[in-house]
Amino acid sequence: MDILTLIIALSSVMWYLIQRGKDEIWGKLSFSKWITIGVSAVFAFALVFSFNLDLILACGLVKATTIAGKIMTGLVLMSGSSAVAEIIERVKGK
């Protein structure tokens, strides 16, 4: 499986689960925005380090996985699945 496809798939599943949690568990709280940010950070970095995801490597900009690439990938995953799709489209030149 292509690493870019894996990143998009995991991001989509992650944000689906976060949205469900927000709707059913913490959405009515006054600080729900902060809970969403925290949950997305934990979830994103867990996925990045579990699956060894590196968006910079996947785009062909470096030859090996780096910690900086993993951190950037985690931050991109935190920002949402639409951000991941937009970055990949721009890199591919669409």
Side-chain angles (χ1 to χ4, degrees), residues 16-73:
Y16 171 78
L17 294 173
I18 289 172
Q19 190 60 45
R20 290 288 306 256
K22 184 177 178 182
D23 291 344
E24 297 178 15
I25 301 171
W26 68 82
K28 293 180 174 67
L29 300 173
S30 62
F31 50 91
S32 66
K33 171 182 154 184
W34 300 107
I35 294 174
T36 302
I37 291 170
V39 169
S40 69
V42 169
F43 208 158
F45 283 98
L47 288 174
V48 165
F49 287 99
S50 295
F51 288 93
N52 200 26
L53 302 175
D54 187 339
L55 189 57
I56 309 242
L57 174 69
C59 293
L61 300 174
V62 294
K63 295 185 186 216
T65 302
T66 64
I67 294 295
K70 289 180 180 183
I71 290 170
M72 290 186 69
T73 304

Side-chain angles (χ1 to χ4, degrees), residues 7-23:
I7 290 171
I8 291 173
L10 290 174
S11 177
S12 299
V13 170
M14 179 184 98
W15 279 101
Y16 171 78
L17 294 173
I18 289 172
Q19 190 60 45
R20 290 288 306 256
K22 184 177 178 182
D23 291 344

